[in-house]
Amino acid sequence: YATRGSRAGTALLHISQIRTERINNIHDVMKVGDVIEGARVIGVDPKKGEVGLSLRARRQKRKDVSSWKVGDEVEGKVDSLLPYGAFIDIGANVNGLLHISRVTGGAIENIRHHLNEGDSVSVHIIDIDGDRKTLAVSMLDKKADMYLDKRMNQRMKKYYGKGAAADGKKGEDGNMKSTELDYFDQAIKELEDALRDKEGEE
């Protein structure tokens, strides 16, 4: 870690830059005195005297979400996991949202029983928002996705009085439908409201 006041000639190799797969304990992969080969400099801050290193392969140039269209089948890797799903790196300048309901189609208590960081996955794009530069993907087949779209739209109408997407998108049956990203935004809002209520109770 080459900062002012630290040992000269050292640099920071962050745990996230060792390999693509998640590392829970640095001592499982490295120890003091190990010789590191193939590291590359990914950052230099002369003012702070900091140098950052990486052992991960250089990523290909990111593409804009407009390079894809709904229905495209792509190969990707799990970048990160959250209780409500995963973010998939497909080579876009943003990662695609894989909602937990689009993994197996059934109830999932712990997404890590099905996916982990670094896993290779085959997905297809089910929603793109060019304005917000976001996209959603699914691991399900076409029929399962259509079934979930119908359920999601019914739920949005029932609980939020909102059945149609703001941009007026239509499903394959020609009816107005809420997008996966609309549903995601509403789920996040519910989570934030629940956390605020919990803080108020404490």
Side-chain angles (χ1 to χ4, degrees):
Y1 204 171
T3 61
R4 290 190 179 91
S6 66
R7 291 188 302 168
T10 61
L12 173 66
L13 175 60
H14 192 272
I15 191 171
S16 65
Q17 292 297 329
I18 295 176
R19 64 188 186 196
T20 303
E21 296 77 18
R22 182 185 180 90
I23 298 174
N24 294 316
N25 189 337
I26 186 69
H27 298 292
D28 292 338
V29 294
M30 286 186 175
K31 64 181 182 298
V32 175
D34 281 354
V35 176
I36 297 175
E37 297 180 351
R40 57 188 175 86
V41 176
I42 58 173
V44 177
D45 189 331
K47 291 184 178 180
K48 294 183 178 180
E50 293 181 352
V51 176
L53 301 177
S54 177
L55 286 172
R56 294 176 60 169
R58 190 185 299 274
R59 296 201 309 179
Q60 294 182 347
K61 187 177 180 181
R62 305 278 97 182
K63 297 180 181 179
D64 189 79
V65 293
S66 61
S67 300
W68 288 269
K69 63 182 183 299
V70 172
D72 283 351
E73 295 187 5
V74 294
E75 297 297 317
K77 281 195 173 184
V78 178
D79 183 75
S80 58
L81 294 174
L82 294 166
Y84 52 79
F87 283 98
I88 310 299
D89 181 358
I90 63 169
N93 51 11
V94 294
N95 290 330
L97 166 67
L98 174 62
H99 192 267
I100 195 168
S101 64
R102 306 280 177 166
V103 177
T104 67
I108 294 178
E109 294 184 2
N110 187 342
I111 194 169
R112 289 191 179 278
H113 293 163
H114 302 270
L115 295 171
N116 281 291
E117 286 89 346
D119 285 354
S120 295
V121 292
S122 297
V123 298
H124 58 272
I125 297 173
I126 58 174
D127 196 16
I128 297 177
D129 189 322
D131 294 331
R132 290 187 289 179
K133 302 295 182 183
T134 53
L135 57 88
V137 299
S138 173
M139 293 176 63
L140 304 180
D141 60 33
K142 192 173 182 179
K143 287 185 178 180
D145 276 325
M146 290 180 66
Y147 173 73
L148 278 179
D149 287 342
K150 184 176 181 180
R151 283 187 56 194
M152 184 173 70
N153 203 38
Q154 291 174 340
R155 182 181 177 187
M156 293 288 277
K157 285 180 179 178
K158 180 178 180 180
Y159 292 102
Y160 315 119
K162 177 183 178 183
D167 57 2
K169 291 182 180 178
K170 292 185 177 182
E172 295 192 11
D173 58 1
N175 295 322
M176 302 300 290
K177 77 182 190 73
S178 299
T179 69
E180 183 80 356
L181 298 169
D182 289 330
Y183 183 73
F184 172 67
D185 287 343
Q186 187 62 46
I188 293 299
K189 183 177 182 301
E190 288 180 355
L191 178 60
E192 292 174 344
D193 290 343
L195 290 173
R196 279 195 293 269
D197 291 341
K198 185 176 181 180
E199 291 175 354
E201 292 175 357
E202 294 176 351

